[in-house]
Amino acid sequence: VNDTRLRIGEVMKICLELVNNSSVDIKWISCQLFEQIDWHSCEHHTSDTAIVASQKVSGLKGMKFKATKQAKAKAVSPINSDHKSNNVISCEAFLRVPDYTLQTCTGNLFEIKHYLSINAQTKCGLTNVNIQVPAQITSPRRSMTTIYDYLIATEDRG
């Protein structure tokens, strides 16, 4: 990820390089941008998490992403830049921050957080990998009144 501090409408470029040290094949890789809103008041707490952008990484068929026969039972992992292997997965994904995304902020009654989640799904399920990277969405386009109205509407649903 070039930059985890983004503005609304901006595109996040994600460059992935992984090596499969597992004994199972990778079925797919996805990238998702999450928005988590936590509301705190007196003795009450509400948390709401939503996916604001998502992309399954395509183009994996032409690349070697199957496990090697001599691989030990290790999970899929990020690789060092000096690591040379025929079993390296290299791909890119692009996520656009939608217009309805709220600004990352912390207040006395609420907190709005964002994070990027990268998932590598295997056939087995036991060796799935989920890497989370904190992100920050900055934009003066959403006012605090809009955030308060959203939180009240969410509270009414629960």
Side-chain angles (χ1 to χ4, degrees):
V1 178
N2 288 345
D3 192 1
T4 58
R5 186 176 176 141
L6 304 162
R7 286 183 278 176
I8 291 175
E10 193 171 350
V11 175
M12 176 188 289
K13 180 179 178 182
I14 304 158
C15 301
L16 298 173
E17 234 179 57
L18 304 168
V19 63
N20 188 358
N21 290 324
S22 173
S23 58
V24 293
D25 297 344
I26 296 173
K27 289 174 26 180
W28 50 262
I29 296 173
S30 71
C31 301
Q32 298 173 316
L33 181 63
F34 283 88
E35 179 176 76
Q36 180 178 334
I37 302 172
D38 294 324
W39 171 265
H40 311 276
S41 66
C42 298
E43 296 178 16
H44 183 71
H45 173 77
T46 301
S47 184
D48 186 27
T49 303
I51 298 171
V52 294
S54 179
Q55 181 184 355
K56 269 195 178 178
V57 178
S58 60
L60 293 176
K61 288 186 178 183
M63 299 179 194
K64 291 187 155 228
F65 60 97
K66 296 194 180 286
T68 57
K69 291 180 181 176
Q70 65 271 25
K72 297 178 182 173
K74 293 181 184 175
V76 177
S77 61
I79 64 168
N80 298 332
S81 59
D82 58 334
H83 181 32
K84 305 290 184 223
S85 173
N86 292 334
N87 211 25
V88 173
I89 302 165
S90 296
C91 50
E92 290 182 343
F94 298 91
L95 297 178
R96 184 185 168 279
V97 179
D99 291 337
Y100 59 83
T101 307
L102 298 171
Q103 183 178 353
T104 304
C105 63
T106 301
N108 289 333
L109 298 176
F110 61 90
E111 181 177 20
I112 301 172
K113 298 184 270 189
H114 297 88
Y115 59 93
L116 172 67
S117 178
I118 301 170
N119 300 298
Q121 177 74 34
T122 62
K123 289 183 179 181
C124 165
L126 294 174
T127 55
N128 292 348
V129 174
N130 183 325
I131 300 168
Q132 293 184 348
V133 179
Q136 185 177 21
I137 308 300
T138 60
S139 175
R141 295 173 79 182
R142 295 283 180 156
S143 69
M144 295 308 286
T145 304
T146 306
I147 295 168
Y148 179 76
D149 291 342
Y150 174 82
L151 292 172
I152 294 301
T154 304
E155 190 72 18
D156 291 341
R157 285 189 282 165

